[in-house]
Amino acid sequence: MPTPPRFIARLAGLVAAMGLLVAPLRAQRAAVEAPRGVVTSAHYLASEAGLEMLRRGGNAVDAAVATGLALAVVYPIAGNLGGGGFMLVQLADGRSVAIDYRETAPAAATRDMYLDAQGNVMAGPGSSVLGWRASGVPGAVAGLAHALEKYGSGKISWADACEPARRLAAEGHAITQGAATQFHNSGRNLAQFEESKRIFLNGGAHWQAGDLFRQPDLAATLARLQQHGPREFYEGETARKIAAAMAAQGGLITLADLKGYKVAERAPVRGIYRGHTIVTMPPPSSGGVALLQMLAMLEPHDVAQLGPNSAAKYHLLAEVMRRAFRDRAEYMGDPDFVSVPVAPLLDRDYLKRRMADFSPDRASVSEKIEPGLGAMKLSQIAATSPRESTETTHYSVVDAAGNAVATTTTLNGNFGSGVTIPGAGFLMNNEMDDFTAKVGVKNMFGLLQGAANAIQPGKRPLSSMTPTVVLKDGQLLLVTGSPGGPTIINTVLQVILNVVDHRMPVAQAVEVPRVHHQWMPDQLTFERYGISADTLALLKAKGHTVVERQSYEGGYQGDAETIAIDPQTKLRLGAADPRKPDSRAVGY
Ligand code: GLY
């Protein structure tokens, strides 16, 4: 006969196995439950490329590299060879590292390069947004190769990791309705560049759902990378193609820029939120610091008791977001060029003081919120919100050993600068727009940025990308991140609150509506259908300007491709974000 406590434990196990006890992270809404590994990304073919590596004995880093390369083929709106990104690696042995392969400003870049003769920020081709002058030196290939070499299992070679992407480019894949819509929505920009029009707009005839999309130039580029290794991109034929096209079209990137590109390894920033360890991206991302600031400002408040979607909760969120984004504008930049006061910004006493004037009844006024460590003068305050794209893309991987990877990668805007390198088949980024073109003038995301983020040769532009891992009692709990420019940080914040405070199943934590405030413009945006009329009225009564989000893809905020580990069963729970039509979590 078992002793009573053992009997009770067995009974509880039996009940749990029958699904009668619902562990908070599991429940029926998880997109996929897998005992060993999960990959989730914005495109199912890219998720499957990662899974292929896991099944072959590769680890989470191997899978992440294959997924990243495949996204460059099947998700060209944001997946890339011509962009950059951040990969946060949390190894099963407890080590963590942030791999920074953000683009850098070319040597010929200057602080005022996007101002016209009158000192106004330029628009159109030649600006920081569109065309040949908009690109920073791409870091994606170097970053992925670095990750594979240093943190891969050793069982997957660089050529192996490139193969699913090469195959997809050579053999083609069926265009989904989602991709057809994305190409169509960006048609005006892409049509301005012959090579982009030829490839991504089907020569002007436009792609339809179901068409076979083959990319022979890109396949050849990937084959060169397989044959000659990743340095080929920076020193070989691909580099020569980039440099020649740039020289011919008035772009800035030279062979020397490409040859000189360097990946950086950085220590993640860490914080504790209600007993959970948050491991996230340090500068040149503003994301990790702002996320930790907001969590620390929220901790004294009983967020769970406010409920997931009350006016009181949204008001509190708006106030912490406003304060964190004010500091972002003032203090953040590339730590290799400016001194970012990370420790003072994360100091608990500072963050307590930052919220000293918080009123549960009244919205603060953004114009009156000073940066907490000393003031900056703004020449102009932007009042309008841009029609923001959701660009960028995030993917998460967990393997059988418990290694985890959160990667956010970007061309910046949808399809980046709109420029495709002739004969190489890939798009270039418009990451230069993430620099401050002029202090006090908003960028494409409506962000006001400071002098710390001014353009300098070799410098990385400030980012909001926030790949993040959450640990509980030293065990992996959550791997997450999102696209969406500045909304990234607030999307990640809300996924974490949904799991930690509201104890939602992970799929629901990803699914439920989100809000966003970025200090300037002074408005709280919400997703379409995301807030009830009475909640809106309560927020307005507190003094908030509340605006329905405008975006190209239906007013949604972000794409938080997330994995949770169920603490009891250790199942990997993949939650593909339903905001993206082709997103998919796959596991084994
Ligand atoms: N390009 C978007 C970001 O880095 O935040």
Side-chain angles (χ1 to χ4, degrees), residues 306 309-316 534-536 538-539 542 544:
L306 295 178
N309 50 16
S310 66
K313 154 100 179 281
Y314 290 142
H315 169 64
L316 177 61
D534 37 12
T535 305
L536 268 182
L538 288 168
L539 285 163
K542 288 179 194 291
H544 290 283

Side-chain angles (χ1 to χ4, degrees), residues 428-440:
M428 292 295 288
N429 68 83
N430 59 352
E431 219 67 58
M432 293 298 282
D433 192 65
D434 272 345
F435 280 118
T436 309
K438 182 174 177 176
V439 172

Side-chain angles (χ1 to χ4, degrees), residues 84-86 102-103 284-286 328 391-392 408-413 430-431 433-434 443-445 447 461-466 482-489:
F86 299 138
R102 184 80 164 152
E103 301 90 328
S285 178
S286 60
R328 178 198 193 279
E391 44 56 57
T392 307
T408 315
T409 181
T410 188
L411 290 166
N412 198 18
N430 59 352
E431 219 67 58
D433 192 65
D434 272 345
N443 75 352
M444 79 159 95
F445 302 115
L447 277 173
L462 184 61
S463 173
S464 298
M465 295 189 290
T466 315
S482 177
T487 68
I488 291 172
I489 314 170

Side-chain angles (χ1 to χ4, degrees), residues 175 180 183 198-202 205-209 211-213:
I175 296 258
F183 289 136
R198 180 176 71 78
I199 296 173
F200 300 108
L201 301 180
N202 195 15
H206 285 286
W207 293 107
Q208 310 298 327
D211 286 348
L212 183 68
F213 184 42

